Amino acid sequence: FPHFRVLLQAAEGYARHSGCRFRKGSFSQLPMDGDEVPEGSRLAAKLQAAPTVQEFMEKVRGQTDQALATELNEAFNILWSESMRCSMAARCQQLDLWPPYPPPEGIEATDVDCSKDTSSLFAMAQRLYNQEQQRNASFTRLLSTASFLADFAFEAGLPTPQFF
């Protein structure tokens, strides 16, 4: 999310303290300059992020920056896709297809494209399982960042996409 880089960098400490969630209320009634704030504290992270948070709130509320709007849509799409993937994986687990045994023929451990051969529940379950096995910290960070930005958009008062 390159157009949100400045916000994400400024709010990194806050995000660590909040579990990568954003709440506008966290930035109201902050103490004035001159009050002593422990370094590394949640309050210090909020104070550091507050000016940039305010700047980006105004930008997204104005809805004039198309690049920011595009990246917010991308964040919502990532979350929607992940929600659907988790739902399908949970159902496969309920059906004792996690992973399917024996594995479907012709599906390698690297095959993660669930859009192929959607007629076979066993093939879909195997591909979902393969996706789960290939998850890494980079992907987890992408999901956390998308969630943070979706929270930010909601708190800014932007409408959520129709699929939510």
Side-chain angles (χ1 to χ4, degrees), residues 14-99:
Y14 167 74
R16 265 197 303 275
H17 285 284
S18 70
C20 290
R21 302 310 306 257
F22 179 84
R23 295 291 170 253
K24 179 175 61 176
S26 295
F27 294 91
S28 63
Q29 301 178 348
L30 292 175
M32 305 303 266
D33 289 338
D35 291 345
E36 201 167 310
V37 177
E39 188 176 323
S41 69
R42 183 180 177 128
L43 180 56
K46 288 187 218 180
L47 288 169
Q48 178 184 343
T52 308
V53 165
Q54 184 61 37
E55 174 190 341
F56 273 80
M57 276 282 174
E58 291 169 10
K59 284 182 179 182
V60 298
R61 282 183 182 143
Q63 298 184 12
T64 57
D65 190 326
Q66 190 57 43
L68 292 178
T70 298
E71 288 185 5
L72 287 174
N73 280 334
E74 181 182 341
F76 279 112
N77 284 332
I78 288 168
L79 295 175
W80 175 252
S81 296
E82 180 63 8
S83 174
M84 291 297 96
R85 193 200 70 74
C86 287
S87 178
M88 292 186 304
R91 187 65 176 145
C92 290
Q93 291 170 14
Q94 288 174 337
L95 295 171
D96 203 21
L97 296 174
W98 199 254

Coordinates of all heavy atoms in Angstrom, one line a residue, residues 14-99:
Y14 N 1.7 2.4 17.2 CA 0.3 2.3 17.7 C -0.3 0.9 17.2 O -0.9 0.2 18.0 CB -0.5 3.4 17.1 CG -2.0 3.2 17.2 CD1 -2.6 3.4 18.5 CD2 -2.8 2.9 16.1 CE1 -4.0 3.1 18.6 CE2 -4.1 2.7 16.3 CZ -4.7 2.8 17.5 OH -6.1 2.6 17.7
A15 N 0.0 0.5 16.0 CA -0.5 -0.8 15.5 C 0.0 -1.9 16.3 O -0.7 -2.9 16.6 CB -0.2 -0.9 14.0
R16 N 1.2 -1.9 16.7 CA 1.8 -2.9 17.6 C 1.0 -3.0 18.9 O 0.8 -4.1 19.4 CB 3.3 -2.7 17.8 CG 4.2 -3.4 16.9 CD 5.6 -3.5 17.4 NE 6.2 -2.2 17.6 CZ 6.8 -1.4 16.7 NH1 6.9 -1.8 15.5 NH2 7.3 -0.3 17.1
H17 N 0.7 -1.9 19.5 CA 0.0 -1.8 20.7 C -1.5 -2.2 20.6 O -2.1 -2.7 21.5 CB 0.1 -0.5 21.4 CG 1.4 -0.1 22.0 ND1 1.8 -0.7 23.2 CD2 2.4 0.6 21.6 CE1 3.0 -0.2 23.5 NE2 3.4 0.6 22.5
S18 N -2.1 -2.0 19.4 CA -3.5 -2.2 19.3 C -3.8 -3.5 18.6 O -5.0 -3.8 18.3 CB -4.1 -1.1 18.4 OG -3.6 -1.1 17.1
G19 N -2.8 -4.3 18.3 CA -3.1 -5.6 17.6 C -3.4 -5.4 16.1 O -4.2 -6.1 15.5
C20 N -2.8 -4.3 15.5 CA -3.1 -3.9 14.1 C -4.5 -3.5 13.9 O -5.0 -3.7 12.8 CB -2.6 -5.0 13.2 SG -0.8 -5.2 13.1
R21 N -5.1 -3.0 14.9 CA -6.5 -2.4 14.7 C -6.4 -0.9 14.8 O -5.5 -0.4 15.5 CB -7.4 -3.0 15.8 CG -7.6 -4.5 15.8 CD -7.9 -5.2 14.5 NE -9.0 -4.6 13.8 CZ -10.2 -5.2 13.8 NH1 -10.4 -6.4 14.3 NH2 -11.2 -4.7 13.1
F22 N -7.3 -0.2 14.2 CA -7.4 1.2 14.3 C -8.7 1.7 14.8 O -9.8 1.3 14.4 CB -7.2 1.9 12.9 CG -7.2 3.4 13.0 CD1 -6.1 4.1 13.3 CD2 -8.4 4.0 12.8 CE1 -6.1 5.5 13.4 CE2 -8.5 5.4 12.9 CZ -7.3 6.1 13.2
R23 N -8.6 2.5 15.8 CA -9.8 3.1 16.4 C -9.6 4.6 16.5 O -8.6 5.1 17.2 CB -10.1 2.6 17.8 CG -10.5 1.1 17.8 CD -11.9 0.9 17.1 NE -12.1 -0.5 16.9 CZ -12.1 -1.1 15.7 NH1 -11.8 -0.4 14.6 NH2 -12.4 -2.4 15.6
K24 N -10.5 5.4 15.9 CA -10.3 6.8 15.9 C -10.3 7.4 17.3 O -9.6 8.3 17.6 CB -11.5 7.4 15.1 CG -11.5 8.9 15.0 CD -12.6 9.5 14.1 CE -14.0 9.0 14.6 NZ -15.1 9.6 13.8
G25 N -11.1 6.8 18.2 CA -11.2 7.2 19.6 C -9.9 7.2 20.3 O -9.7 7.9 21.3
S26 N -9.0 6.4 19.8 CA -7.7 6.3 20.5 C -6.9 7.6 20.3 O -5.9 7.8 21.0 CB -6.8 5.2 19.8 OG -7.4 3.9 20.1
F27 N -7.3 8.5 19.4 CA -6.6 9.7 19.1 C -7.3 10.9 19.6 O -7.0 12.0 19.3 CB -6.3 9.8 17.6 CG -5.3 8.7 17.2 CD1 -5.8 7.5 16.7 CD2 -4.0 8.9 17.3 CE1 -4.9 6.5 16.4 CE2 -3.1 7.9 17.0 CZ -3.6 6.7 16.5
S28 N -8.4 10.7 20.4 CA -9.1 11.9 21.0 C -8.6 12.1 22.4 O -8.2 11.1 23.1 CB -10.6 11.7 21.0 OG -10.9 10.6 21.7
Q29 N -8.6 13.3 22.8 CA -8.2 13.7 24.2 C -6.8 13.2 24.6 O -6.6 12.7 25.7 CB -9.3 13.2 25.2 CG -10.7 13.7 25.0 CD -11.7 13.2 25.9 OE1 -11.4 12.2 26.7 NE2 -12.8 13.8 25.9
L30 N -5.9 13.4 23.7 CA -4.5 13.1 24.0 C -3.9 14.2 24.8 O -4.4 15.4 24.7 CB -3.7 12.9 22.7 CG -4.1 11.7 21.8 CD1 -3.3 11.7 20.5 CD2 -3.8 10.4 22.6
P31 N -3.0 13.9 25.7 CA -2.4 15.0 26.5 C -1.7 16.0 25.7 O -1.2 15.7 24.6 CB -1.5 14.2 27.4 CG -1.2 12.9 26.8 CD -2.4 12.6 25.9
M32 N -1.5 17.2 26.2 CA -0.8 18.3 25.6 C 0.7 18.1 25.6 O 1.2 17.3 26.4 CB -1.2 19.6 26.2 CG -2.7 19.9 26.4 SD -3.4 19.9 24.8 CE -3.4 21.6 24.4
D33 N 1.4 18.8 24.7 CA 2.8 18.7 24.8 C 3.3 19.2 26.1 O 2.7 20.0 26.8 CB 3.4 19.7 23.7 CG 3.2 19.1 22.3 OD1 3.0 17.9 22.1 OD2 3.2 19.9 21.3
G34 N 4.4 18.6 26.6 CA 4.9 19.0 27.9 C 4.6 18.0 28.9 O 5.3 17.9 29.9
D35 N 3.5 17.2 28.7 CA 3.2 16.1 29.7 C 4.3 15.0 29.5 O 4.6 14.7 28.3 CB 1.8 15.6 29.4 CG 0.7 16.5 29.8 OD1 1.0 17.5 30.6 OD2 -0.4 16.3 29.4
E36 N 4.7 14.5 30.5 CA 5.7 13.4 30.4 C 5.1 12.1 30.0 O 4.1 11.7 30.6 CB 6.4 13.2 31.8 CG 7.8 12.6 31.6 CD 8.6 12.7 32.9 OE1 8.7 13.8 33.4 OE2 9.1 11.6 33.3
V37 N 5.6 11.5 29.0 CA 5.1 10.3 28.4 C 6.2 9.2 28.4 O 7.2 9.5 27.8 CB 4.5 10.5 27.0 CG1 4.0 9.2 26.4 CG2 3.4 11.6 27.0
P38 N 6.0 8.1 28.9 CA 7.0 7.0 28.9 C 7.3 6.6 27.5 O 6.4 6.3 26.7 CB 6.4 5.9 29.7 CG 5.2 6.4 30.4 CD 4.8 7.6 29.7
E39 N 8.6 6.6 27.1 CA 9.0 6.1 25.8 C 8.6 4.7 25.6 O 8.7 3.8 26.4 CB 10.5 6.2 25.7 CG 11.0 6.0 24.3 CD 12.5 6.2 24.2 OE1 13.0 7.2 24.8 OE2 13.2 5.5 23.4
G40 N 8.1 4.4 24.4 CA 7.7 3.0 24.0 C 6.3 2.7 24.5 O 5.8 1.6 24.2
S41 N 5.6 3.6 25.2 CA 4.3 3.3 25.6 C 3.3 3.5 24.5 O 3.5 4.1 23.5 CB 3.9 4.3 26.8 OG 3.8 5.6 26.3
R42 N 2.1 2.9 24.8 CA 1.0 3.1 23.8 C 0.7 4.6 23.6 O 0.4 5.0 22.5 CB -0.2 2.3 24.3 CG -1.4 2.4 23.4 CD -2.6 1.6 24.0 NE -3.7 1.7 23.1 CZ -4.4 0.7 22.6 NH1 -4.1 -0.5 23.0 NH2 -5.4 0.9 21.8
L43 N 0.7 5.3 24.7 CA 0.4 6.8 24.6 C 1.5 7.4 23.7 O 1.1 8.3 22.9 CB 0.3 7.4 26.0 CG 0.1 8.9 26.0 CD1 -1.2 9.3 25.3 CD2 0.0 9.4 27.5
A44 N 2.7 7.1 23.9 CA 3.8 7.7 23.1 C 3.6 7.3 21.6 O 3.7 8.2 20.7 CB 5.1 7.2 23.5
A45 N 3.1 6.1 21.3 CA 2.9 5.7 19.9 C 1.7 6.5 19.3 O 1.8 6.9 18.2 CB 2.6 4.2 19.9
K46 N 0.7 6.7 20.1 CA -0.5 7.5 19.7 C 0.0 8.9 19.4 O -0.4 9.5 18.4 CB -1.6 7.5 20.7 CG -2.3 6.2 20.9 CD -3.5 6.5 21.8 CE -3.8 5.4 22.7 NZ -4.9 5.7 23.6
L47 N 0.7 9.5 20.3 CA 1.2 10.9 20.1 C 2.0 11.1 18.9 O 1.9 12.0 18.1 CB 1.9 11.4 21.3 CG 1.1 11.7 22.6 CD1 2.0 11.9 23.8 CD2 0.1 12.8 22.4
Q48 N 2.9 10.1 18.6 CA 3.7 10.1 17.4 C 2.9 10.0 16.1 O 3.1 10.7 15.2 CB 4.7 9.0 17.4 CG 5.6 8.9 16.2 CD 6.5 7.7 16.2 OE1 6.8 7.1 17.2 NE2 7.1 7.4 15.0
A49 N 1.8 9.2 16.2 CA 1.0 8.9 15.0 C 0.0 10.0 14.7 O -0.5 10.2 13.6 CB 0.4 7.6 15.0
A50 N -0.5 10.7 15.8 CA -1.6 11.6 15.7 C -1.6 12.6 14.6 O -2.6 12.7 13.9 CB -1.8 12.3 17.1
P51 N -0.5 13.4 14.3 CA -0.6 14.3 13.2 C -0.8 13.7 11.9 O -1.6 14.2 11.0 CB 0.8 15.0 13.3 CG 1.3 14.7 14.7 CD 0.7 13.4 15.1
T52 N -0.2 12.6 11.7 CA -0.3 11.9 10.4 C -1.7 11.2 10.2 O -2.2 11.2 9.2 CB 0.8 10.8 10.2 OG1 2.1 11.4 10.4 CG2 0.8 10.2 8.8
V53 N -2.2 10.7 11.3 CA -3.5 10.1 11.3 C -4.5 11.2 10.9 O -5.4 11.0 10.1 CB -3.9 9.5 12.7 CG1 -5.4 9.3 12.8 CG2 -3.1 8.2 12.9
Q54 N -4.4 12.4 11.5 CA -5.3 13.5 11.2 C -5.2 13.9 9.7 O -6.2 14.1 9.1 CB -5.0 14.7 12.1 CG -6.0 15.8 11.9 CD -7.4 15.5 12.2 OE1 -7.7 14.7 13.1 NE2 -8.3 16.0 11.4
E55 N -4.0 14.0 9.3 CA -3.8 14.3 7.8 C -4.4 13.3 6.9 O -5.1 13.7 6.0 CB -2.2 14.4 7.6 CG -1.9 14.6 6.1 CD -0.4 14.4 5.9 OE1 0.4 14.5 6.8 OE2 0.0 14.2 4.7
F56 N -4.3 12.0 7.2 CA -4.8 11.0 6.3 C -6.3 10.9 6.5 O -7.1 10.6 5.5 CB -4.1 9.7 6.5 CG -2.9 9.5 5.6 CD1 -1.7 10.1 6.0 CD2 -3.0 8.8 4.4 CE1 -0.6 10.0 5.2 CE2 -1.8 8.7 3.6 CZ -0.7 9.3 4.0
M57 N -6.8 11.1 7.7 CA -8.3 11.2 7.9 C -8.9 12.2 7.0 O -9.9 12.0 6.3 CB -8.7 11.5 9.3 CG -8.6 10.4 10.3 SD -10.1 9.4 10.1 CE -9.7 8.1 11.2
E58 N -8.3 13.4 6.9 CA -8.8 14.5 6.1 C -8.7 14.1 4.6 O -9.7 14.4 3.8 CB -8.1 15.8 6.3 CG -8.4 16.3 7.7 CD -7.5 17.5 8.1 OE1 -6.7 18.0 7.3 OE2 -7.5 17.8 9.3
K59 N -7.6 13.4 4.2 CA -7.5 13.0 2.8 C -8.5 12.0 2.4 O -9.1 12.2 1.3 CB -6.1 12.4 2.6 CG -5.0 13.4 2.5 CD -3.7 12.6 2.2 CE -2.5 13.6 2.1 NZ -1.2 12.9 1.9
V60 N -8.8 11.0 3.2 CA -9.7 10.0 2.8 C -11.2 10.5 2.9 O -12.0 10.1 2.1 CB -9.5 8.6 3.5 CG1 -8.2 8.0 3.2 CG2 -9.8 8.7 5.0
R61 N -11.4 11.3 3.9 CA -12.8 11.9 4.0 C -13.1 12.8 2.8 O -14.3 12.8 2.3 CB -12.9 12.7 5.2 CG -13.1 11.9 6.5 CD -13.3 12.7 7.7 NE -13.4 11.9 8.9 CZ -12.9 12.3 10.0 NH1 -12.3 13.4 10.2 NH2 -13.1 11.5 11.1
G62 N -12.1 13.5 2.3 CA -12.3 14.3 1.1 C -12.6 13.5 -0.2 O -13.1 14.0 -1.1
Q63 N -12.2 12.3 -0.2 CA -12.3 11.4 -1.3 C -11.9 12.0 -2.6 O -12.5 11.7 -3.7 CB -13.8 10.9 -1.4 CG -14.2 10.1 -0.2 CD -15.6 9.6 -0.3 OE1 -16.2 9.6 -1.3 NE2 -16.2 9.1 0.8
T64 N -10.8 12.8 -2.6 CA -10.3 13.3 -3.8 C -9.0 12.6 -4.3 O -8.6 12.8 -5.4 CB -10.0 14.8 -3.6 OG1 -9.1 15.0 -2.5 CG2 -11.3 15.6 -3.3
D65 N -8.4 11.8 -3.4 CA -7.2 11.1 -3.8 C -7.5 9.7 -4.3 O -7.8 8.8 -3.5 CB -6.3 11.1 -2.6 CG -4.9 10.6 -2.9 OD1 -4.7 9.7 -3.8 OD2 -3.9 11.1 -2.3
Q66 N -7.6 9.6 -5.6 CA -8.0 8.3 -6.2 C -7.0 7.2 -5.9 O -7.4 6.0 -5.7 CB -8.1 8.5 -7.7 CG -8.7 7.3 -8.4 CD -10.1 7.0 -7.9 OE1 -10.9 7.9 -7.7 NE2 -10.4 5.7 -7.7
A67 N -5.7 7.5 -5.7 CA -4.8 6.4 -5.4 C -5.1 5.9 -4.0 O -5.0 4.6 -3.8 CB -3.3 7.0 -5.4
L68 N -5.4 6.7 -3.0 CA -5.8 6.2 -1.7 C -7.1 5.4 -1.8 O -7.2 4.3 -1.2 CB -6.0 7.4 -0.7 CG -4.7 8.2 -0.3 CD1 -5.1 9.3 0.6 CD2 -3.7 7.3 0.3
A69 N -8.1 5.8 -2.5 CA -9.3 5.1 -2.7 C -9.1 3.7 -3.3 O -9.6 2.7 -2.9 CB -10.3 5.9 -3.5
T70 N -8.2 3.7 -4.3 CA -7.9 2.4 -5.0 C -7.2 1.4 -4.0 O -7.6 0.3 -3.9 CB -6.9 2.7 -6.2 OG1 -7.6 3.5 -7.1 CG2 -6.5 1.4 -6.8
E71 N -6.3 2.0 -3.2 CA -5.7 1.1 -2.2 C -6.6 0.6 -1.1 O -6.5 -0.5 -0.6 CB -4.4 1.8 -1.6 CG -3.3 1.8 -2.7 CD -2.0 2.4 -2.2 OE1 -1.8 2.6 -0.9 OE2 -1.1 2.5 -3.0
L72 N -7.5 1.5 -0.7 CA -8.5 1.0 0.3 C -9.4 -0.1 -0.3 O -9.7 -1.1 0.4 CB -9.4 2.2 0.7 CG -8.7 3.2 1.7 CD1 -9.6 4.4 2.0 CD2 -8.3 2.5 3.0
N73 N -9.8 0.1 -1.6 CA -10.5 -1.0 -2.2 C -9.7 -2.3 -2.3 O -10.3 -3.4 -2.1 CB -11.0 -0.6 -3.6 CG -12.2 0.3 -3.6 OD1 -13.0 0.2 -2.7 ND2 -12.3 1.1 -4.6
E74 N -8.4 -2.2 -2.5 CA -7.6 -3.3 -2.6 C -7.5 -4.0 -1.2 O -7.6 -5.2 -1.1 CB -6.1 -2.9 -3.0 CG -5.2 -4.1 -3.1 CD -3.8 -3.7 -3.4 OE1 -3.6 -2.6 -4.0 OE2 -2.8 -4.5 -3.1
A75 N -7.5 -3.2 -0.1 CA -7.5 -3.7 1.2 C -8.7 -4.5 1.5 O -8.7 -5.6 2.0 CB -7.3 -2.6 2.3
F76 N -9.9 -3.9 1.1 CA -11.2 -4.6 1.3 C -11.2 -5.9 0.5 O -11.8 -6.9 1.0 CB -12.3 -3.7 1.0 CG -12.7 -2.7 2.1 CD1 -12.5 -1.3 1.9 CD2 -13.3 -3.1 3.3 CE1 -12.8 -0.4 2.9 CE2 -13.6 -2.3 4.3 CZ -13.4 -0.9 4.1
N77 N -10.7 -5.9 -0.7 CA -10.7 -7.1 -1.5 C -9.9 -8.2 -0.9 O -10.3 -9.4 -0.9 CB -10.3 -6.8 -2.9 CG -11.3 -6.1 -3.8 OD1 -12.5 -6.2 -3.5 ND2 -10.9 -5.2 -4.7
I78 N -8.7 -7.8 -0.4 CA -7.9 -8.8 0.3 C -8.6 -9.4 1.5 O -8.6 -10.7 1.7 CB -6.6 -8.2 0.8 CG1 -5.7 -7.8 -0.4 CG2 -5.8 -9.0 1.8 CD1 -4.5 -6.9 -0.1
L79 N -9.3 -8.6 2.3 CA -10.0 -9.1 3.4 C -11.2 -10.0 3.0 O -11.5 -11.0 3.6 CB -10.5 -8.0 4.3 CG -9.3 -7.2 5.0 CD1 -9.9 -6.0 5.7 CD2 -8.5 -8.1 5.9
W80 N -11.9 -9.6 1.9 CA -13.0 -10.3 1.4 C -12.6 -11.7 1.0 O -13.2 -12.7 1.3 CB -13.7 -9.6 0.3 CG -14.8 -10.4 -0.3 CD1 -14.8 -10.9 -1.6 CD2 -16.1 -10.7 0.2 NE1 -16.0 -11.6 -1.8 CE2 -16.8 -11.5 -0.7 CE3 -16.7 -10.5 1.4 CZ2 -18.1 -12.0 -0.5 CZ3 -18.0 -11.0 1.7 CH2 -18.6 -11.7 0.7
S81 N -11.5 -11.7 0.2 CA -11.0 -13.0 -0.3 C -10.5 -13.9 0.9 O -10.8 -15.1 0.9 CB -9.8 -12.8 -1.2 OG -10.2 -12.1 -2.4
E82 N -9.9 -13.3 1.9 CA -9.4 -14.1 3.0 C -10.6 -14.6 3.8 O -10.6 -15.8 4.3 CB -8.5 -13.2 3.9 CG -8.0 -14.0 5.1 CD -7.1 -15.2 4.8 OE1 -6.8 -15.4 3.7 OE2 -6.8 -15.9 5.8
S83 N -11.7 -13.8 3.9 CA -12.9 -14.3 4.6 C -13.5 -15.5 3.9 O -13.9 -16.4 4.6 CB -13.8 -13.1 4.7 OG -15.1 -13.5 5.2
M84 N -13.6 -15.4 2.6 CA -14.1 -16.5 1.9 C -13.2 -17.8 2.0 O -13.7 -18.9 2.1 CB -14.3 -16.1 0.4 CG -15.4 -15.1 0.1 SD -17.0 -15.7 0.6 CE -17.2 -15.0 2.3
R85 N -11.9 -17.6 1.9 CA -11.0 -18.7 2.0 C -11.1 -19.3 3.4 O -11.2 -20.6 3.5 CB -9.6 -18.2 1.8 CG -8.6 -19.3 1.6 CD -7.1 -18.9 1.8 NE -6.9 -18.6 3.2 CZ -6.8 -19.6 4.2 NH1 -6.9 -20.9 3.8 NH2 -6.6 -19.3 5.4
C86 N -11.2 -18.5 4.4 CA -11.3 -19.1 5.8 C -12.6 -19.9 5.9 O -12.7 -20.9 6.6 CB -11.2 -18.0 6.8 SG -9.5 -17.4 7.0
S87 N -13.7 -19.3 5.4 CA -15.0 -20.0 5.5 C -15.0 -21.3 4.8 O -15.4 -22.3 5.3 CB -16.1 -19.1 4.8 OG -17.3 -19.7 4.8
M88 N -14.4 -21.4 3.6 CA -14.3 -22.6 2.8 C -13.4 -23.6 3.6 O -13.7 -24.8 3.6 CB -13.8 -22.4 1.4 CG -14.8 -21.6 0.6 SD -14.3 -21.4 -1.2 CE -12.7 -20.7 -1.1
A89 N -12.3 -23.1 4.1 CA -11.3 -24.0 4.8 C -12.0 -24.6 6.1 O -11.9 -25.8 6.4 CB -10.1 -23.3 5.2
A90 N -12.8 -23.8 6.8 CA -13.5 -24.3 8.0 C -14.5 -25.4 7.6 O -14.7 -26.4 8.3 CB -14.2 -23.1 8.7
R91 N -15.2 -25.1 6.5 CA -16.2 -26.2 6.0 C -15.5 -27.5 5.7 O -16.0 -28.5 6.0 CB -17.0 -25.6 4.8 CG -18.1 -26.5 4.5 CD -19.1 -26.6 5.6 NE -20.3 -27.4 5.1 CZ -20.9 -28.2 5.9 NH1 -20.6 -28.3 7.2 NH2 -21.9 -28.9 5.4
C92 N -14.3 -27.4 5.0 CA -13.6 -28.6 4.6 C -13.1 -29.3 5.9 O -13.2 -30.5 6.0 CB -12.4 -28.2 3.8 SG -12.8 -27.7 2.1
Q93 N -12.7 -28.5 6.9 CA -12.3 -29.2 8.2 C -13.5 -29.9 8.8 O -13.4 -31.0 9.4 CB -11.7 -28.1 9.1 CG -10.4 -27.6 8.7 CD -9.9 -26.4 9.4 OE1 -10.4 -26.1 10.5 NE2 -8.9 -25.7 8.9
Q94 N -14.7 -29.2 8.8 CA -15.9 -29.9 9.3 C -16.2 -31.2 8.6 O -16.8 -32.1 9.2 CB -17.1 -28.9 9.2 CG -17.1 -27.8 10.2 CD -18.2 -26.8 9.9 OE1 -18.8 -26.8 8.8 NE2 -18.6 -26.0 10.9
L95 N -16.0 -31.2 7.3 CA -16.2 -32.4 6.5 C -15.1 -33.4 6.6 O -15.1 -34.4 5.9 CB -16.5 -32.0 5.1 CG -17.7 -31.2 4.9 CD1 -17.8 -30.6 3.4 CD2 -19.0 -31.9 5.2
D96 N -14.1 -33.2 7.5 CA -13.0 -34.0 7.6 C -12.2 -34.2 6.3 O -11.7 -35.3 6.0 CB -13.4 -35.4 8.2 CG -12.2 -36.1 8.9 OD1 -11.3 -35.4 9.3 OD2 -12.3 -37.4 9.0
L97 N -12.0 -33.1 5.6 CA -11.3 -33.0 4.4 C -10.1 -32.1 4.6 O -9.7 -31.3 3.7 CB -12.1 -32.5 3.2 CG -13.3 -33.3 2.8 CD1 -14.2 -32.6 1.8 CD2 -12.9 -34.7 2.3
W98 N -9.4 -32.1 5.7 CA -8.3 -31.2 6.0 C -7.1 -32.0 6.4 O -6.9 -32.2 7.6 CB -8.7 -30.2 7.0 CG -7.8 -29.0 7.0 CD1 -6.9 -28.7 8.0 CD2 -7.8 -27.9 6.1 NE1 -6.3 -27.5 7.6 CE2 -6.9 -27.0 6.5 CE3 -8.6 -27.7 4.9 CZ2 -6.6 -25.8 5.8 CZ3 -8.3 -26.5 4.3 CH2 -7.3 -25.6 4.7
P99 N -6.3 -32.4 5.6 CA -6.4 -32.4 4.1 C -7.2 -33.6 3.7 O -7.4 -34.6 4.5 CB -5.0 -32.5 3.6 CG -4.3 -33.3 4.7 CD -4.9 -32.9 6.0

